[in-house]
């Protein structure tokens, strides 16, 4: 959890929402939370899940 620093509380809140209703959190978090144990030193990686890009796709070169 140290990788999340001051945002640990947010991860915990998201995890609780995920446990209650998986579809209530962004699907980008699902793989992370499948192996997450609530910050108790489990097997989850400390990297945050991939975030979908919000940038528009570039047009192909003409």
């Amino acid at each position: 959890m140290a990788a999340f620093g001051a945002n640990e509380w947010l991860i915990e809140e998201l995890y609780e929402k995920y446990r209650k209703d998986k579809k209530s959190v962004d699907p980008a978090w699902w793989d992370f939370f499948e192996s997450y144990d609530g910050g108790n030193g489990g097997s989850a990686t400390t990297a945050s899940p991939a975030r979908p890009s919000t940038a528009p796709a570039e047009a192909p070169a003409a």
Side-chain angles (χ1 to χ4, degrees), residues 35-59:
S35 60
Y36 183 70
D37 72 347
N40 295 322
S43 62
T45 61
T46 57
S48 62
R51 293 291 183 169
S53 173
T54 57
E58 292 184 33

Side-chain angles (χ1 to χ4, degrees), residues 14-51:
L14 284 173
Y15 181 59
E16 288 304 314
K17 287 179 65 175
Y18 171 85
R19 288 182 60 206
K20 291 177 184 174
D21 179 10
K22 179 178 181 174
K23 294 179 182 178
S24 69
V25 299
D26 190 308
W29 286 99
W30 293 2
D31 285 342
F32 175 81
F33 286 138
E34 283 179 14
S35 60
Y36 183 70
D37 72 347
N40 295 322
S43 62
T45 61
T46 57
S48 62
R51 293 291 183 169

